Amino acid sequence: MASTVEETAGARVETAPGATSPGKPKKKGFRLKVPSAFTVLFILTIVAAIATWLIPAGSYSKLSYDADSSSLVMVTPQGKSENLPAEQSTLDELGLELQIDQFTSGALSKAISVPNSYESVEANPAGPADVPSAMVRGTIEAVDIMVFIFVLGGLIGVVRATGSFESGLLALTQKTKSKEFLLVFFVSIFMLAGGSLCGLEEEAVAFYPILVPIFLALGYDSIICVGAIFLAGSMGTTFSTINPFSSVIASNAAGIPFTDGILWRAAGLVVGSVVVVGYLYWYAKKIKADPSASYTWEDHEEFNRRWAMTTTDTKAFTWQRRIILILFVAAFPIMVWGVMAQGWGFPAMAAMFLTITVIIMFISAFGPDKVGEKQLVDAFTEGSSSLVGVSLIIGLARGINLVMNEGLITDSILNSASNLVSGMSGPIFIIALLLIFFVLGFIVPSSSGLAVLSMPIFAPLADAVGIPRFIIVCAYQWGQYAMLFLAPTGLVMATLQMLDMKYSHWLRFVWPMVAFVLGFGGIMLVAQVLIYG
């Protein structure tokens, strides 16, 4: 069957007969107007500051382990610090049903809340000067991630300057003709596994620059790019099995082995994987048939100008460019191995990417495809500067949490939530807890942070209801991550900033997945309560 081919923003777009032409305008319906990521975060920081005036201040005592003194350190709501013997009897006296080796081994590296220790304290409302201060300090706290992103941008700039991207992309698209969705499928499966096993989230920003041009060349849009990377990774993290930053630390803080409930989480991962891949396939097929059906169609020309690699006058895919592209691609599995097997943090990952960059620059300075030293250095600088906005978004989002913590209202919200579900029983209790964690996911977007704050408080409620504590861990995972698919306080704003995508477009695409996680998660939780209660 014949087909027509049109040129759009330097990329070839094939349109089946009867499909809407890419140039044909679609009827415009109602579109939610959402400000830019910076404006959204600034507004939310102001809202958080106002909340510190309206919500009563309060705090739980916090308990942590000090390796230098080999003792437990408890900080009271009034800020007084007390050293306690690192013994099991100390935990028993505090009402913490945890094992002492969970502290001494480092499994619980962050301070946890002590149950039944909540007290009202003197208010510490945020003033006008605290808003910009929190945004700046939040950015400083994220400096390790920011350096990682800057180095990543520099590496991408250098590889682009060598011409390796364009030549390699042309070779790839010629081999994947009519099998385009396979790449989306394999990337999604990789991200699902990475999210479930090691919480692959912030690190995933490294994949956009290499995959976005490829997805565009295959005829997809920015939604597919974010869906295959961010959405799939988040779905994997939602149904974490052995993720140390989610299921493991939450189980530790709840006083149970992380293997408790792992079969339920694994079953959820299988179903979640099928749903997210199926959803991406449906959307990919839809925009293949009619490119103007893309949720981001109104911005596609600008997006293509920024991300699409031109295939006209492409340089030959020489051995030198092959080696450069192999080194570039190899950096990403090395990064994943380092995180999973070596416990790398962002500084180690940044150092590895910088090493790869230097090697590529050295290779590019010699041989038939020689690129000048100044051109390579300029490319590194320009590549880094292109990701400044993304880096700042990550830091600014942390400022919201700082305002709430320093305003002493985070624990107040947590205490009110625990009082709300106390006394409930059975399915009503667990559904209410799922929704509470959904709300708390907005307030505390860190999975490990919410785990150590909430698990010691909510886990004992499971005993009162007569259900295993692993069900509370499942409610925490599924509730919080349903929110993190769309919460401006989480990683999503940095992702959208990187791709210059409107939040309203992403919201239109992702809300069915949020509804799925809450609906399917709720069914799983009720089933657990009925079986084990």
Side-chain angles (χ1 to χ4, degrees):
M1 186 177 289
S3 60
T4 61
V5 177
E6 297 185 30
E7 294 291 331
T8 304
R12 291 171 62 86
V13 180
E14 190 168 309
T15 308
T20 304
S21 168
K24 181 179 178 181
K26 286 183 69 72
K27 294 181 180 179
K28 292 186 178 180
F30 172 75
R31 289 291 182 268
L32 177 65
K33 298 295 183 182
V34 178
S36 68
F38 286 96
T39 304
V40 169
L41 291 176
F42 181 68
I43 293 172
L44 288 176
T45 307
I46 293 175
V47 170
I50 294 173
T52 62
W53 289 85
L54 303 177
I55 299 175
S59 177
Y60 287 96
S61 294
K62 299 295 192 298
L63 188 71
S64 60
Y65 178 70
D66 180 27
D68 293 335
S69 62
S70 299
S71 63
L72 295 170
V73 179
M74 185 171 72
V75 179
T76 67
Q78 290 73 31
K80 296 179 180 179
S81 179
E82 180 182 1
N83 283 5
L84 303 173
E87 299 173 356
Q88 188 62 45
S89 58
T90 303
L91 300 181
D92 295 339
E93 291 175 6
L94 293 173
L96 285 164
E97 297 184 28
L98 306 174
Q99 297 300 312
I100 190 62
D101 60 1
Q102 291 178 288
F103 287 90
T104 57
S105 66
L108 289 173
S109 57
K110 296 184 178 181
I112 69 167
S113 302
V114 177
N116 302 317
S117 65
Y118 177 83
E119 294 181 19
S120 296
V121 297
E122 184 178 351
N124 185 38
D130 292 322
V131 172
S133 173
M135 299 177 81
V136 170
R137 288 183 290 118
T139 304
I140 293 172
E141 283 190 5
V143 67
D144 54 345
I145 303 178
M146 295 174 69
V147 171
F148 166 73
I149 292 175
F150 289 152
V151 173
L152 169 65
L155 169 60
I156 294 162
V158 168
V159 176
R160 279 183 171 169
T162 66
S164 301
F165 266 140
E166 291 88 342
S167 56
L169 181 59
L170 180 61
L172 177 66
T173 52
Q174 289 173 345
K175 292 182 179 181
T176 55
K177 191 68 175 175
S178 76
K179 301 176 183 177
E180 292 90 348
F181 189 75
L182 275 179
L183 181 63
V184 178
F185 173 79
F186 286 123
V187 169
S188 299
I189 294 299
F190 173 79
M191 291 305 302
L192 283 159
S196 182
L197 298 177
C198 64
L200 197 63
E201 293 182 283
E202 287 98 341
E203 301 88 348
V205 298
F207 298 122
Y208 291 103
I210 183 175
L211 291 174
V212 169
I214 295 175
F215 284 147
L216 286 180
L218 297 178
Y220 296 126
D221 66 353
S222 54
I223 290 285
I224 287 290
C225 302
V226 183
I229 299 173
F230 175 78
L231 177 61
S234 296
M235 187 67 77
T237 312
T238 300
F239 296 102
S240 294
T241 49
I242 60 172
N243 174 9
F245 308 108
S246 179
S247 53
V248 173
I249 194 169
S251 297
N252 285 337
I256 60 173
F258 75 88
T259 51
D260 285 6
I262 193 172
L263 293 180
W264 285 91
R265 301 196 299 269
L269 177 64
V270 172
V271 175
S273 299
V274 172
V275 168
V276 76
V277 172
Y279 188 50
L280 287 171
Y281 179 74
W282 166 81
Y283 181 81
K285 189 175 180 180
K286 175 181 176 181
I287 63 174
K288 275 286 190 179
D290 179 6
S292 63
S294 165
Y295 293 168
T296 58
W297 178 251
E298 64 180 280
D299 300 322
H300 81 285
E301 292 183 357
E302 180 61 33
F303 185 79
N304 285 357
R305 272 194 293 271
R306 177 178 177 183
W307 288 97
M309 295 294 180
T310 58
T311 57
T312 57
D313 300 326
T314 303
K315 299 175 182 177
F317 197 30
T318 62
W319 65 266
Q320 191 171 5
R321 294 195 178 98
R322 288 174 188 267
I323 292 175
I324 289 171
L325 208 53
I326 289 171
L327 285 169
F328 176 74
V329 173
F332 299 94
I334 292 173
M335 178 191 74
V336 174
W337 167 80
V339 171
M340 295 184 65
Q342 303 298 313
W344 283 2
F346 286 103
M349 288 187 285
M352 184 272 294
F353 273 108
L354 184 59
T355 301
I356 296 289
T357 303
V358 172
I359 294 173
I360 289 176
M361 293 175 79
F362 182 79
I363 293 173
S364 303
F366 302 95
D369 304 317
K370 180 179 178 180
V371 181
E373 175 267 343
K374 186 179 187 305
Q375 185 179 350
L376 290 172
V377 173
D378 289 345
F380 182 90
T381 303
E382 291 171 7
S384 297
S385 64
S386 68
L387 296 183
V388 168
V390 179
S391 303
L392 289 175
I393 288 296
I394 293 175
L396 295 178
R398 295 192 176 194
I400 300 171
N401 200 229
L402 279 177
V403 168
M404 298 182 69
N405 287 339
E406 294 175 359
L408 303 174
I409 64 172
T410 302
D411 281 6
S412 297
I413 296 172
L414 185 62
N415 181 65
S416 297
S418 64
N419 291 334
L420 180 65
V421 296
S422 181
M424 293 182 180
S425 61
I428 297 176
F429 163 79
I430 203 63
I431 293 298
L433 198 57
L434 174 70
L435 297 177
I436 284 173
F437 278 119
F438 180 70
V439 174
L440 290 177
F442 183 92
I443 298 170
V444 187
S446 166
S447 57
S448 58
L450 183 57
V452 297
L453 286 175
S454 65
M455 281 300 110
I457 307 303
F458 286 111
L461 297 179
D463 302 336
V465 178
I467 60 175
R469 292 188 174 195
F470 78 80
I471 301 179
I472 307 297
V473 173
C474 290
Y476 140 80
Q477 285 189 199
W478 302 338
Q480 183 192 34
Y481 271 93
M483 172 59 75
L484 293 186
F485 284 166
L486 47 82
T489 51
L491 186 63
V492 65
M493 296 307 281
T495 300
L496 301 183
Q497 175 70 24
M498 172 173 272
L499 300 186
D500 199 21
M501 184 193 297
K502 290 183 174 67
Y503 182 74
S504 55
H505 293 160
W506 174 246
L507 194 62
R508 181 184 177 192
F509 176 77
V510 81
W511 77 260
M513 293 295 97
V514 177
F516 159 73
V517 171
L518 290 176
F520 176 65
I523 292 171
M524 293 261 283
L525 290 170
V526 169
Q528 291 172 345
V529 169
L530 294 176
I531 292 172
Y532 299 102

